[in-house]
């Protein structure tokens, strides 16, 4: 049925209703209701219609109007019932059935909508709207035969219907009737060649031709076609996306990158192209290029808030909160209205950058209590007040329990307070809420590992990997735990997965060698590295060289190790890492202390904050009895890498006086709450000084819990004795 | 951090819409229960089959474990509405769901057959189109049949829509931005959308005889609103909060029934498909095993009249008994060759303080542990429950059997299988006999391909289907 005919039928229907209604007492407000509908003021009629229906539930006009209003205001789930009532009771009911179908189709399952459309078509077999809608619904369900049938019926009635044309093409392809699809496509292109409307469709049709070649199994022809299409339409997003997918599938990542660059050149304002390319550059560690790409988008336009936000996201992903805050500020200056989520993110960046005063100003602008509580909680934690932080976070979590970051922060606060049960619970909740969004899974795995609960640690890491399959740390932890006693195959499977990640060749090789050392000894580990055929003289492969030298030393082949590192240094004397490895090789070979120190000092000249070189030099200096100097070096090492507790512990052990040890132990435990030996030692100090025995008990319990062994149990007993228990 | 509420209120449409929806749902949960039902008796229960005016409202709360309801002894006040149903109706105190995974469990619930007979055990299994479902029986008997649901595991392509004139899964209404989910996986909207749709169904069909099935998901998703944020922030607390929220929604729905004078001619059937684990046996969630915490579910019948005192059936019952019971209550024909049976005799006996001899029949729960990983071979785990024992048995790993003495160890924490080998052997024989039951009248389960859109819906509710 043509559109004009349908309009006539609807007009007639309305006129009939008007006549019927005019002949019976018209409910109050009906003309007004219709008038408001004509003005698009559907929401304002809902309450009145509902109350009228309560009085006259079987009034078809009311049911119809109510259904229309519900549908127009997005309440399709509610519209279904009055519309069905109107459709069933009406003699014809085509319009109500179409509306009912529309309501039913706006659901997660469209079967009933398809049935309703079938009922319309039973009454009006040539109802274009019903055919189109049914084809669309069947398309979502991949019912290709049904789509094709309806598309062809539409085309028989309206040959120029483009949607039906495209669906016909798609369904032919989906049904593997490629030859027919190709012919149909050619015919379509030809018929559109003179139409203005065709310009918008050309990229899509071009892409379809390429897809048909791919569906036909001819990847080369598909590639050739994609290249043709991309030459003609370099900025067509659909084309670019699909072409990049194909290039990646063929392993031609350089081509993908080149295509994205062309797309950006053709459409410099299209942010999605830049983001896609930036993501690739980041994967390749080409960070400066990625940053510049996004910065160009933000700075070449006078008003580009979306581009500034994309830049802020990039900085956030690099953990550069200050830069993210600056980028967000630029975006905020350019936005007409600001969503709370944006303000919240900005405040979050400010807090993480330590700009608390400004963060407070921004938080004051927010009127969302759950967001305010969470931000204030984060700030209190950053300021070193975990107890108050936890209180605030709890208030926020009451209303926003599924926020993984808030749970993570609550876990950290609990850890700082020594409440590890609470910390475990919060980290688990964070993992549940979003395993990929924080490091809660990694932290939780560490806690479980420290408790000796390897199974629990592995379970958590598995969750993490499922959510974040590129997480190198998670794989490395899994490999380590597998070696410690996880189920057979754990380490091997994790290593296999790790080796498949881009850019992890060195890590995989070093890890494989370490695993082999545990099985076949150091010599076997050396062979693994040799088989990897990495250029050990290349600075970027320093970890492989370090592993090689270490395993050679363990195998008693010290000279060989030294030779290797000297060769590397000859090629790259400006590599701090190589100098560091040299120092370690000299130490393993029991060379004179001066030579060892010179190597480490040279590394530090090139990279002053090289944490391991600092620690190694500190050790060398300490062995000469120069404690103060060694402590200073250890302090620098701690600052350079606060993830590693070894320097902090080594520094403690240099000291004899309890007064000197105590503050360092406190700082160590603040940074590394699971350090059992530090907890044991501090507990011992407190007991010997008749100090805070309650604190001593907490520390002793902590030490026992996290693998402090016999010494921890001894101090636990001593504390109990001191407390008179 | 993410937050979707706009600073400018205009983002969610004009104020009239929000106001209207609040009116439809009711602004707050009723503090005083309005109940105009007359007092009734056991005789009225038995006479229901002679009535031709009774509607059936089947409320299925996904993932609801019985022991988190006040009516089942929970110390927190999570469920005043549901408790009232139980206080004035029939509560089955020892109900077992047939699986801890929705599709398997609901297949058994609807057909009255245990999973071993439905054959719906893995992700691509479906109820046969030849199965005769309760909705079909009710449709044939003149009921208007409708379902409003939100779990992709009971989608029409799995055979669950048979007999429903409309089997509708509403999309979220954009105004509902005040619910928060605690669990991973996000499906849009909340059960408020479902209840709103149900309210409109009641308005449209007030004069019809209807069967309405509601499958609620907010407990599964740990969704609740600010008013239900009552019990703390832990994972288990969030679960309780979500029960309170769903309970409040049901309160509003029942108010709607009352308002339309439908409460006096509606039988409310309240049940769950499975429970939820919180580490009782080392696991969390559901669809991983068949311990008590994931298979002990509520079953409550609330009649067009109040029963005071209520009736509590303590003999063991199963979800496979649910539809034989309801069909018996409303006087309709039976399911085909069910494993379950009508519990009307048990209701009668309980009302009279008697015990039925058939009370000793065992009940079963079953799960294929690889239901989502079709590349792997099936790995069934089956629990058999008698009055005293629960045996959790894996046919391919019999040495992993776990036997619990429910009387001496109500939390079922101590596995005494090695101490009671004869008991284990006897229960294994029960399981073997159970697994040898014949196929259903319609043959084996159907198999379907899950398309990408449905896969996304399943993943959105937290299932890692491969």
């Amino acid at each position: 049925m043509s559109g004009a005919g349908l309009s006539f039928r609807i007009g007639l229907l309305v006129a009939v209703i008007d006549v019927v209604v005019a002949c019976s007492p018209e409910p109050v407000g009906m003309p007004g209701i219709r008038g408001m509908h004509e003005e698009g003021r559907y929401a304002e009629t809902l309450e009145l219609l509902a109350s009228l229906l309560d009085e006259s539930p079987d009034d078809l006009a009311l049911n119809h109007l109510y259904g229309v209003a519900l549908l127009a205001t997005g309440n399709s789930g509610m519209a279904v019932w009055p519309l069905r009532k109107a459709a069933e009771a009406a003699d014809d009911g085509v319009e109500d059935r179409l509306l009912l179908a529309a309501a039913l189709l706006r659901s997660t399952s469209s079967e009933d909508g398809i049935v309703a459309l079938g009922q319309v078509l039973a009454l009006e077999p040539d109802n274009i709207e019903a055919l189109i809608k049914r084809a669309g619904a069947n398309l979502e369900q991949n019912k290709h035969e049904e789509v094709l049938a309806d598309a062809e019926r539409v085309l028989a009635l309206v040959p120029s219907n483009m949607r039906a044309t495209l669906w016909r093409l798609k369904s032919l392809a989906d049904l593997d009737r490629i030859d027919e699809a190709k012919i149909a496509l050619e015919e379509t292109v030809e018929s559109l060649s003179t139409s203005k409307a065709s310009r918008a469709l050309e990229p899509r049709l071009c892409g379809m031709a390429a897809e048909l070649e791919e569906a036909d199994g001819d990847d080369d022809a598909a590639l050739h076609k994609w290249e043709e299409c991309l030459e003609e339409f370099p900025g067509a997003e659909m084309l670019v996306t699909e072409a990049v997918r194909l290039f990646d599938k063929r392993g031609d990542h350089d081509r993908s990158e080149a295509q994205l660059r062309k797309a950006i050149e053709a459409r410099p304002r299209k942010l999605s192209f830049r983001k896609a390319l930036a993501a690739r550059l980041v994967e390749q560690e080409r960070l400066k290029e990625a940053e510049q790409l996004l910065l160009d988008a933000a700075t070449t336009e006078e008003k580009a808030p979306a581009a500034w936000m994309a830049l802020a996201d990039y900085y956030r992903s690099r953990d550069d909160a200050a830069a993210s805050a600056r980028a967000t500020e630029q975006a905020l200056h350019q936005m007409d209205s600001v969503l709370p989520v944006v303000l919240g993110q900005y405040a979050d960046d400010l807090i993480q950058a330590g700009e608390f005063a400004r963060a407070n100003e921004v938080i004051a602008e927010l009127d969302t209590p759950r967001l305010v509580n969470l931000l204030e909680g984060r700030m209190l934690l950053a300021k070193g007040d975990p107890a108050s932080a936890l209180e605030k976070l709890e208030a926020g979590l009451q209303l926003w329990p599924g926020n993984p970051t808030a749970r993570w922060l609550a876990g950290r606060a609990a850890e700082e307070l020594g409440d590890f049960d609470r910390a475990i619970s919060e980290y688990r909740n964070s993992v549940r809420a979003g395993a990929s969004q924080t490091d809660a899974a990694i932290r939780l795995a560490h806690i479980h590992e420290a408790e000796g609960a390897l199974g629990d640690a592995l379970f958590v890491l598995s969750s993490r990997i499922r959510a974040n399959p590129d997480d190198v740390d998670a794989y490395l932890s899994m490999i380590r735990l597998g070696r410690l006693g996880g189920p057979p195959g754990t380490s091997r499977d994790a290593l296999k997965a790790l080796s498949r990640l881009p850019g992890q060749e060195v890590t995989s090789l070093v890890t494989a060698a370490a695993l082999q050392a545990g099985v076949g000894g150091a010599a076997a580990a050396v062979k693994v590295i040799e088989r990897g055929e990495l250029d050990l003289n290349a600075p970027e492969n320093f970890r492989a060289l370090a592993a090689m030298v270490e395993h050679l030393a363990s195998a008693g082949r010290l000279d060989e190790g030294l030779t290797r590192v000297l060769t590397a240094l000859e090629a790259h004397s400006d590599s701090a890492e190589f100098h560091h490895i040299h120092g370690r090789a000299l130490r393993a070979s029991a060379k004179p202390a001066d030579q060892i120190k010179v190597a480490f000092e040279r590394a530090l000249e090139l990279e002053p904050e090289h944490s391991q070189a600092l620690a190694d030099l500190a050790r060398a200096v300490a062995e000469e009895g120069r404690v103060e100097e060694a402590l200073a070096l250890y302090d620098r090492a701690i600052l350079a890498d606060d993830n590693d507790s070894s320097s902090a512990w080594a520094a403690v052990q240099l000291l004899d006086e309890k007064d000197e040890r105590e503050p360092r132990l406190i700082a160590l435990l603040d940074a590394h709450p699971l350090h059992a030996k530090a907890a044991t030692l501090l507990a011992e100090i407190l007991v010997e000084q008749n100090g805070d025995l309650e604190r001593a008990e907490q520390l002793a319990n902590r030490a026992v819990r996290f693998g402090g062994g016999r010494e921890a149990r001894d101090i636990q007993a001593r504390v109990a004795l001191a407390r008179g228990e | 951090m993410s937050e979707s509420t706009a600073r400018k209120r205009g983002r969610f449409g004009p104020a009239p819409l929000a106001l209207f929806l609040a009116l439809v749902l009711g602004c707050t949960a009723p503090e005083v229960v309005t109940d105009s039902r007359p007092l009734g008796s056991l005789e009225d229960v038995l006479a229901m089959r002679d009535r031709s005016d009774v509607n059936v409202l089947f409320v299925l709360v996904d993932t609801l474990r019985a022991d988190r309801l006040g009516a089942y002894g929970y110390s927190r006040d999570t469920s005043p509405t549901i408790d009232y149903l139980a206080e004035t109706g029939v509560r089955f105190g020892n109900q077992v769901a047939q699986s801890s995974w929705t599709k398997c469990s609901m297949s058994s619930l609807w057909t009255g057959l245990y999973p071993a007979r439905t054959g719906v055990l893995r992700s691509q299994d479906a109820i046969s189109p030849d199965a005769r479902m309760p909705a079909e029986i009710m449709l044939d008997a003149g009921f208007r049949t409708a379902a409003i649901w939100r779990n992709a595991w009971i989608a029409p392509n799995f055979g669950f829509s048979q007999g429903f004139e409309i089997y509708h899964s509403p999309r979220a209404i954009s105004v509902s931005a005040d619910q928060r989910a605690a669990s991973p996986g996000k499906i849009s909207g909340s059960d408020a959308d479902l209840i709103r749709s149900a309210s409109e169904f009641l308005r449209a069909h007030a004069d019809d005889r209807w069967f309405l099935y509601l499958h609620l998901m907010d407990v599964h998703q740990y969704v609740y609103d600010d008013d239900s944020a009552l019990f703390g922030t832990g994972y288990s607390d969030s679960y309780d909060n979500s029960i309170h929220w769903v309970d409040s929604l049901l309160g509003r729905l029942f108010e709607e029934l009352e308002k339309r004078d439908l409460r006096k001619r509606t039988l409310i059937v309240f049940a769950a498909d499975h429970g939820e684990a919180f580490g009782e046996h080392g696991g969390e969630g559901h669809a991983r095993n068949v311990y008590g915490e994931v298979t002990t579910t509520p079953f409550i019948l609330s009649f067009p009249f109040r029963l005071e005192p209520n009736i509590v059936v303590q003999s063991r019952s199963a979800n496979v008994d649910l539809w034989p019971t309801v069909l018996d209550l409303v006087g309709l024909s039976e399911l085909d060759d069910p494993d379950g049976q009508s519990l009307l005799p048990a209701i009668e006996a309980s009302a009279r303080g008697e015990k039925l001899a058939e009370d000793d029949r065992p009940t079963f729960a079953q799960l294929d542990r690889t239901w989502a990983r079709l590349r792997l071979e099936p790995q069934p785990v089956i629990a058999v429950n008698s009055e005293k024992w629960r045996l959790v048995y894996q046919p391919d790993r019999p040495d992993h059997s776990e036997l619990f003495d429910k009387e001496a160890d109500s939390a079922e924490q101590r596995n005494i299988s090695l101490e009671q080998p004869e008991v284990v052997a006897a229960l294994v024989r029960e399981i073997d006999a159970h697994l040898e039951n014949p196929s259903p009248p319609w043959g084996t389960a159907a198999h379907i391909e899950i398309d990408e859109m449905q896969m996304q819906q399943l993943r959105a509710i937290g299932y890692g289907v491969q």
Side-chain angles (χ1 to χ4, degrees), chain A residues 7-280:
Chain A
S7 296
F8 175 74
R9 287 282 299 259
I10 291 173
L12 184 59
L13 183 65
V14 169
V16 166
I17 290 174
D18 280 346
V19 167
V20 168
V21 168
C23 291
S24 52
E26 170 117 330
V28 172
M30 284 290 272
I33 290 170
R34 287 206 182 86
M36 288 165 86
H37 281 192
E38 281 169 19
E39 292 170 9
R41 293 159 60 194
Y42 295 99
E44 295 169 56
T45 66
L46 287 169
E47 197 180 329
L48 177 58
L49 282 165
S51 65
L52 288 172
L53 265 173
D54 283 342
E55 293 167 20
S56 309
D58 296 325
D59 187 308
L60 299 188
L62 283 175
N63 274 287
H64 167 82
L65 289 170
Y66 188 49
V68 164
L70 286 169
L71 196 57
T73 50
N75 297 296
S76 56
M78 297 164 73
V80 165
W81 314 111
L83 286 172
R84 183 173 74 151
K85 190 153 183 167
E88 283 178 344
D91 291 332
D92 185 320
V94 166
E95 187 196 357
D96 281 310
R97 281 195 166 79
L98 279 170
L99 290 167
L100 173 62
L104 289 168
L105 289 174
R106 289 178 207 178
S107 75
T108 61
S109 171
S110 50
E111 271 85 358
D112 289 332
I114 293 171
V115 168
L117 290 165
Q119 290 168 349
V120 171
L121 289 164
L123 293 167
E124 290 183 6
D126 293 338
N127 188 305
I128 299 282
E129 185 183 347
L131 286 167
I132 293 279
K133 278 191 158 80
R134 192 168 71 175
N138 279 319
L139 188 69
E140 278 186 13
Q141 298 202 354
N142 292 320
K143 292 182 179 171
H144 311 301
E145 293 281 4
E146 289 84 344
V147 174
L148 183 61
D150 282 345
E152 287 181 339
R153 205 151 133 201
V154 170
L155 288 170
L157 296 163
V158 185
S160 60
N161 189 298
M162 193 42 58
R163 204 186 306 183
T165 301
L166 292 173
W167 282 346
R168 178 166 178 263
L169 287 168
K170 181 171 175 14
S171 51
L172 283 170
D174 289 335
L175 287 165
D176 264 343
R177 289 159 61 174
I178 306 297
D179 291 337
E180 288 175 71
K182 282 182 179 178
I183 294 169
L185 180 60
E186 277 171 23
E187 288 169 356
T188 302
V189 169
E190 203 176 305
S191 73
L192 288 176
S193 61
T194 53
S195 160
K196 280 183 191 167
S198 74
R199 286 300 299 172
L201 286 170
E202 278 173 2
R204 188 165 175 189
L205 293 174
C206 195
M208 267 189 152
E211 283 174 344
L212 285 174
E213 296 295 352
E214 197 179 342
D216 215 2
D218 193 342
D219 274 4
D220 287 334
L223 183 63
H224 180 70
K225 190 64 192 170
W226 279 121
E227 284 167 353
E228 275 182 14
C229 297
L230 289 165
E231 191 61 40
E232 197 173 346
F233 310 106
E237 187 169 14
M238 186 216 75
L239 282 181
V240 172
T241 306
E242 281 305 306
V244 163
R245 179 193 59 78
L246 180 63
F247 298 149
D248 284 345
K249 183 176 152 190
R250 293 166 65 102
D252 195 350
H253 304 293
D254 288 342
R255 183 67 210 272
S256 294
E257 181 180 325
Q259 199 57 58
L260 284 168
R261 288 192 186 279
K262 276 190 190 165
I264 290 168
E265 209 176 297
R267 292 178 72 182
R269 291 183 188 173
K270 186 81 178 153
L271 206 49
S272 58
F273 292 150
R274 289 181 184 266
K275 281 169 146 179
L277 181 54
R280 284 171 179 267

Side-chain angles (χ1 to χ4, degrees), chain A residues 423-683:
Chain A
I424 287 172
S425 169
E426 294 300 348
Y427 288 145
R428 286 171 91 182
N429 286 330
S430 179
V431 171
R432 284 192 200 95
S436 64
Q437 295 190 39
T438 71
D439 286 337
I442 303 292
R443 188 69 200 146
L444 184 54
H446 281 319
I447 294 177
H448 284 318
E449 180 186 350
E451 288 181 311
L454 294 189
D456 290 342
L458 284 167
F459 179 78
V460 170
L461 288 169
S462 298
S463 302
R464 169 70 168 188
I465 285 168
R466 266 197 304 277
N468 195 348
D470 299 336
D471 191 330
V472 173
D473 285 339
Y475 287 117
L476 289 174
S477 296
M478 213 156 199
I479 291 164
R480 187 182 70 253
L481 292 178
R483 288 170 63 190
L484 286 174
T490 300
S491 297
R492 182 196 61 228
D493 293 341
L495 179 60
K496 220 191 260 183
L498 176 67
S499 64
R500 283 193 221 113
L501 296 180
Q504 298 303 322
E505 293 81 11
V506 175
T507 306
S508 306
L509 188 65
V510 167
T511 309
L515 281 176
Q516 193 58 39
V519 172
V526 167
K527 284 204 174 102
V528 166
I529 298 175
E530 282 169 347
R531 277 199 301 267
E533 294 182 343
L534 281 179
D535 178 5
L536 298 182
N537 298 328
E540 64 268 22
N541 296 334
F542 74 90
R543 279 176 292 130
L545 175 65
M548 173 65 95
V549 168
E550 189 183 320
H551 290 305
L552 282 169
S554 300
R557 292 152 62 180
L558 296 159
D559 288 343
E560 207 178 319
L562 266 172
T563 304
R564 286 233 182 217
V565 72
L566 287 171
T567 307
L569 275 169
E570 213 172 294
H572 293 280
S573 62
D574 58 347
S575 166
E577 298 291 354
F578 286 169
H579 285 286
H580 176 239
I581 295 167
H582 186 211
R584 285 197 166 182
L586 289 170
R587 187 168 64 199
S589 304
K591 296 297 183 195
D594 286 343
Q595 285 186 35
I596 297 168
K597 282 188 298 182
V598 161
F600 291 139
E601 282 162 357
R602 184 71 188 116
L604 288 169
E605 275 171 25
L606 293 163
E607 197 177 311
E609 302 314 311
H610 192 296
S611 61
Q612 287 181 10
L614 284 164
D616 284 330
L617 183 58
R619 178 179 156 186
V621 162
E623 284 166 357
E624 293 175 349
R626 288 145 57 193
V627 172
E628 288 306 314
E629 208 177 315
L631 284 172
L633 287 164
Y634 276 132
D635 285 342
R636 280 175 60 191
I638 293 164
L639 278 173
D641 182 3
D642 56 8
N643 287 327
D644 184 358
S645 64
S646 57
S647 293
W649 180 241
V652 166
Q653 291 183 299
L654 279 183
L655 299 163
D656 296 320
E657 293 300 322
K658 297 185 180 62
D659 288 349
E660 291 174 314
R661 283 182 155 188
E662 191 173 339
R664 282 187 175 271
L665 285 167
I666 292 169
L668 197 172
L669 282 167
D670 276 348
H672 305 279
L674 310 181
H675 201 291
K677 287 191 164 116
T680 304
L681 189 52
L682 186 55

